[in-house]
Amino acid sequence: MSTALAVVGGGNMGTALVAGLRRARQGDADAGGSGEVVLVERLPARRRQLEQRFTDGGVTVTADLPPSVGSAVIAVKPHDVEAACRDLAAAGAGRVLSIAAGVTLSSLRGWLGDGPTVLRAMPNTPALVSAGASAVAPGPGAGEADVAWARGILEAVGSVEVVEERHLDAVTGLSGSGPAYLFLVAEALIDGGVLNGLPRAVAARLATQTILGAGRMLTESGESPEALRAAVTSPGGTTAAGLRALEARAVRAALLEAVTASAERAAELGRGGPPA
């Protein structure tokens, strides 16, 4: 009997996808019929952790890939992708979605052979709390049903955009690395509150809730960022003074450069550049 869905790699992102699928009860519809999910993790200590986490059924944690696989997600480190692909080809996987950073569709197809339909995706770490932003690029020959299958997996942990592979480096620079930029902003806001007399714990709660609230306004209000910013900026007021300081320090330009630098590094890795 073929395993419906194998997730190869029990790191944070692979585990988040499995947990999201289980919560959303999407495994049956999107993984080929039976709803069975196998999570493959070869490190013994990590495997024991996963076995304890998924004790209530629906997920089988194993050290080795099953001999027959219907569909699969590759969620291992880039240097382990080739071995995972060759194992999946031997197991007869029909669809493969890779979330390995920097590994191109061309490389995946070369290692998998002509059998499986291949798609590549870039999720981000908020997937760990089911608030991820992912983009998926279909490989040659992937049809609407294949894209729908990949979307079903990724939507279990957040939102999904469908893009061409040539745009995935930009996705990496924006949403893949973007959480780190916002975490840095949060650190700075907290420090700013402390600098102006707030206890650090109070500043931390205010800063994190402010970022959460602003994010919800962006996603739920239907207004553009420009309109929302204008609405909170009174002429000659406190927010205008703060924004003037940010523009004087070229914060906007710094963020543009951050996204570009990250995208360029992603492209370099995709060309086989040196790892970090």
Side-chain angles (χ1 to χ4, degrees):
M1 177 180 294
S2 176
T3 296
L5 177 66
V7 177
V8 183
N12 286 336
M13 199 61 69
T15 302
L17 288 173
V18 170
L21 283 169
R22 188 178 61 167
R23 283 192 303 270
R25 300 182 181 275
Q26 289 186 340
D28 183 66
D30 296 319
S34 71
E36 180 188 8
V37 177
V38 171
L39 179 55
V40 181
E41 174 53 56
R42 293 187 173 178
L43 294 177
R46 178 60 176 168
R47 190 167 63 251
R48 287 191 293 271
Q49 293 176 344
L50 296 171
E51 288 170 345
Q52 294 174 357
R53 175 169 182 175
F54 296 113
T55 55
D56 55 349
V59 177
T60 300
V61 180
T62 180
D64 299 305
L65 189 71
S68 181
V69 171
S71 302
V73 176
I74 297 176
V76 297
K77 298 294 185 183
H79 61 268
D80 292 324
V81 173
E82 180 177 356
C85 285
R86 299 197 186 283
D87 288 345
L88 287 168
R95 284 173 173 157
V96 175
L97 170 66
S98 171
I99 63 170
V103 182
T104 64
L105 286 168
S106 176
S107 293
L108 293 166
R109 285 171 57 83
W111 297 327
L112 286 163
D114 296 330
T117 300
V118 185
L119 305 96
R120 178 184 166 200
M122 170 53 64
N124 64 4
T125 54
L128 301 176
V129 292
S130 298
S134 302
V136 60
E144 292 183 3
D146 301 305
V147 173
W149 166 77
R151 288 188 69 117
I153 292 173
L154 296 167
E155 285 176 347
V157 292
S159 65
V160 183
E161 299 290 336
V162 180
V163 301
E164 297 177 17
E165 186 183 24
R166 62 190 177 91
H167 292 310
L168 281 182
D169 292 334
V171 170
T172 300
L174 175 58
S175 58
S177 299
Y181 312 152
L182 294 177
F183 297 148
L184 182 61
V185 168
E187 288 183 65
L189 288 173
I190 292 166
D191 288 343
V194 172
L195 178 65
N196 284 276
L198 288 175
R200 182 164 292 276
V202 172
R205 289 194 293 270
L206 288 172
T208 53
Q209 183 62 34
T210 296
I211 291 173
L212 173 64
R216 288 191 59 182
M217 289 182 72
L218 282 167
T219 56
E220 298 176 15
S221 70
E223 298 286 345
S224 68
E226 295 82 0
L228 291 170
R229 175 176 54 80
V232 76
T233 308
S234 301
T238 58
T239 302
L243 288 171
R244 181 182 63 189
L246 290 175
E247 295 290 6
R249 293 288 185 174
V251 169
R252 184 192 301 267
L255 287 171
L256 291 172
E257 291 181 11
V259 173
T260 300
S262 178
E264 290 175 348
R265 177 58 175 154
E268 180 185 15
L269 291 173
R271 293 191 298 268

